[in-house]
Amino acid sequence: MEDLKKRKLEEAANGECPSKEELRVLIEPLSKAQLIDLLAKLGSQYPSIAQEIKSIASVDPVHRKLFVRGLAWNTTSETLRVAFQEHGEIEEGAVIHDKNTGKSRGYGFITYKYMESTQQALRAPSKLIDGRLAVCNLACEGLSGSSSAPDLAQRKLYIGSLSPEVTSEMLLNYFSRHGEIEEGSVAYDKDTNESRGFGFVTYKTSEAAKKAIDDQQKTLGGRNIIVKYADSHKSKTSQTSFSPGVVPMAALPMASGYVQPGKTHLGTTLPVGYTYPQTIASYPSYQSPPSVPSPYAAQGHVPYPTSFAKKDQLGIPTQPVAMNNYPYYYPKQ
């Protein structure tokens, strides 16, 4: 209040204060950047103005609510609040659980009382909670966070062939030598909370991710591990295998048949798409091409004389038979 009185006294000493309407006319042509600079300057000089700015900015909870993803299955709402209370007073914080099973869904929400606490938490979005590196972002930005970044494919790595003894902390410590990590964890089974043998690491820069891939020493927990871009692993596993040369085709709907008069058909409805008798589309008459005269003269049929022979009781001919004018004699039995 003292600062406000002092400011009013200074303004009164310099002359009459302009009315609100006069100030509005002066402010309207200013750009957003100019207004931000002006309010920031006034807020830094006068605490009363700074407090008013904070109050107005904190009215809408959309600027104070964080979405936290990558939580361990055993992380509770209390553990989540404790991890974020270092940035300021928390108004509400909870882990989201499945309605049917009652188990954690791996994410939650934190709502601060003041907007500046939210901004402070966003300066360090990654937090190690219960052995897993959780990441936060403004809830109004969606539930995907950094997954919408255009360069995510060059920063996110798939880590395979992990030993069951490797924890998320061990994974993060091992890969932090290549650069600053934004997000990372071992994949755990929801029911048993045991390692599934693989995990993911997301770096803040694509250069750090490339260093991790190019590193020849890929041994963790006594095993040689697999390190590659997560997108390449996802596209490989999502492909459906087909035999070579076989093209998958969608199933075609088939009707049950034609409706014929005088026949009894099962069901109360008639087959879809058919009527009987069906009309057949007319086709244009086909004309054969004109015949071409043959270069060779036609040959006439040559007749051959027919001969008969006498046969005995067994049907064997006993007389000569003329075959092409050449006699042939059958022996007598």
Side-chain angles (χ1 to χ4, degrees), residues 60-123:
D60 193 347
V62 73
H63 303 300
R64 299 182 283 112
K65 189 173 185 179
L66 295 177
F67 169 70
V68 187
R69 67 184 187 280
L71 296 175
W73 305 120
N74 59 340
T75 298
T76 63
S77 298
E78 180 62 26
T79 308
L80 180 65
R81 288 192 293 268
V82 169
F84 281 88
Q85 68 184 5
E86 61 176 316
H87 302 298
E89 187 177 352
I90 294 176
E91 194 175 83
E92 185 181 2
V95 173
I96 305 302
H97 294 82
D98 187 272
K99 293 182 179 180
N100 299 323
T101 64
K103 295 181 179 180
S104 169
R105 301 185 66 179
Y107 64 87
F109 295 92
I110 289 288
T111 304
Y112 285 101
K113 188 173 182 179
Y114 300 106
M115 182 180 174
E116 60 264 32
S117 300
T118 308
Q119 296 301 319
Q120 186 179 347
L122 289 173
R123 294 189 190 102

Side-chain angles (χ1 to χ4, degrees), residues 105-215:
R105 301 185 66 179
Y107 64 87
F109 295 92
I110 289 288
T111 304
Y112 285 101
K113 188 173 182 179
Y114 300 106
M115 182 180 174
E116 60 264 32
S117 300
T118 308
Q119 296 301 319
Q120 186 179 347
L122 289 173
R123 294 189 190 102
S126 303
K127 290 185 180 296
L128 194 62
I129 306 174
D130 291 333
R132 296 189 64 173
L133 193 63
V135 182
C136 67
N137 59 272
L138 279 175
C140 61
E141 295 177 353
L143 306 185
S144 57
S146 64
S147 63
S148 58
D151 63 338
L152 180 66
Q154 287 76 43
R155 297 187 294 110
K156 187 173 183 179
L157 302 180
Y158 166 83
I159 318 298
S161 298
L162 292 176
S163 169
E165 289 75 25
V166 173
T167 63
S168 294
E169 291 185 63
M170 295 171 61
L171 182 72
L172 297 173
N173 290 333
Y174 178 83
F175 283 95
S176 61
R177 58 181 176 170
H178 301 297
E180 192 174 357
I181 295 175
E182 179 181 284
E183 183 179 358
S185 174
V186 173
Y188 293 95
D189 187 89
K190 290 184 179 181
D191 299 323
T192 63
N193 202 31
E194 295 179 354
S195 171
R196 297 178 62 187
F198 66 90
F200 297 94
V201 170
T202 304
Y203 286 98
K204 288 193 173 181
T205 62
S206 58
E207 292 78 12
K210 190 175 185 305
K211 286 180 182 178
I213 291 179
D214 295 339
D215 187 8

Side-chain angles (χ1 to χ4, degrees), residues 174 177-178 212 214-220 225:
Y174 178 83
R177 58 181 176 170
H178 301 297
D214 295 339
D215 187 8
Q216 299 298 321
Q217 301 296 327
K218 295 185 177 70
T219 304
L220 178 61
I225 59 175

